[in-house]
Amino acid sequence: MPKARSTSVHVAEGRRDADGGQAGARPGVPLWWVWLAAWPVTAVFVLSNAATPLYVLWQRDIGFSKGTLTVVFAFYIVGLIGSLLVSGVVSDRLGRKPVLLPALGLALAACLVFATAGSVTALIVARLFTGIAVGAVVSAGMAAVTDVAGPERKRIAALLASCAMVFGAGLGPLVAGVLSEVAPAPTVTVFVVEAALLATAVLAVLRMPVPRPEARAGGTWVRVPGVPRGNGRQLALGIAVFAPGITATSFVLSLGPSLLSGLLGTTSRIVAGAMAFVMFLAATGVQFAVRRLSRRTILTAGVVSTTLSMITLIVAVQSSTVTVLVLSALLAGAGQGMGQLGGLSLLNSSVPPRRLAEANAALNVGGYIPAGALPVSAGYLSDAVGLTDGATIFGVVLLSLAVIGGLVVRMTRREVTDPA
């Protein structure tokens, strides 16, 4: 009888875990739930870049410069970083759902503001809301994928969380570009479709079998996110490669349409959206291609890809060659994808679940600060000296940062030699 009682208790505990109760191993959660847990990340990241092909319409209707355009883009970074100061800590203490559900609500509000925008201020507000929502999903959402997967599936969890982010980021501008060319009221239709995607993400979060936090950590609720003592080197390595990669893709998202207009003489939203899509498609595909390599190899390859991206960017703007510009975007996407996968893998392998959302937030803060500052600087510099010279100077600066990141990886061995 005691043995039967012990078995019953064990089964009951397992059921509580699958229903989102006690934390621990996830033996009863099927693999398809791990994929579905990544859907809210994808849905919010579709919104993150859905506005990219539409800026030419807003510029025509409202009227603003390339510098102002990059400021609108930068408010997304402001919202994202502000969110990361809170969402990771709150998620680790209260759980993933209390962070994800309000974030999805704010994303839906951003859709409404975008659809009715008639001023730069409205665009800034919509981008700010979007950034806050994205900050929540890159911390709580990505951690939720790992939680649902359980300790035995950390590698697939890191891969799916990272791919959900970059695939959504690429799908948004493609869908927006196509709809804005073929559908009526493009700036409205795009965000009605996105609102529908977000509604399905809300349903996924409500049913998600994510465990509750084991214990509430101490410290302030609002703080610069960090990692537990002893994990600082893994975080620094991830940022060293991820930051240049995501800065390169941010440049393509903010000034890519202007570069295409200058090189091709076209303002086609489909072309602009397609370039962003293939960039993030490369970021998605390369992660599946390299997932079995060592973290050291993945991070090194990310550095090489970002460096080559900046070299080809400089060649593209100096020679006005569109094919080279597209190649630069593909390399930028690959660089971000590998830097992101390598960074997430380092954190997933070493940071305990109770601090994982905060660690994810720290990685993204380190990446998005230069991703916001450098493209804005390039935008205003381009207004002053011309788009060709502005893009060239940006390329040289980011190339230097990528090389520094590569040196950091090469000088570190122990943290990056295990399989990803």
Side-chain angles (χ1 to χ4, degrees), residues 9 12 74 93 147 156 183 230 237 271 289 306 315 403:
V9 170
R93 293 185 183 184
D147 289 347
I156 188 66
L237 283 167
V271 173
T306 302
V315 172
V403 170

Side-chain angles (χ1 to χ4, degrees), residues 16 30 38-39 73 80 100 107 112 159 219 243 254 264 273 363:
R16 284 199 302 272
W39 170 241
F73 182 83
L80 188 151
L100 289 174
L112 177 62
L159 178 65
S254 59
L264 277 177
L363 176 67

Side-chain angles (χ1 to χ4, degrees), residues 238-254:
I239 291 174
V241 182
F242 174 55
I246 198 169
T247 302
T249 57
S250 295
F251 176 83
V252 174
L253 289 170
S254 59

Side-chain angles (χ1 to χ4, degrees), residues 80-120:
L80 188 151
I81 292 176
S83 176
L84 291 173
L85 298 179
V86 181
S87 58
V89 175
V90 173
S91 173
D92 285 336
R93 293 185 183 184
L94 300 184
R96 312 309 182 200
K97 293 183 182 182
V99 173
L100 289 174
L101 290 173
L104 289 167
L106 200 58
L108 286 165
C111 288
L112 177 62
V113 178
F114 269 130
T116 58
S119 66
V120 171

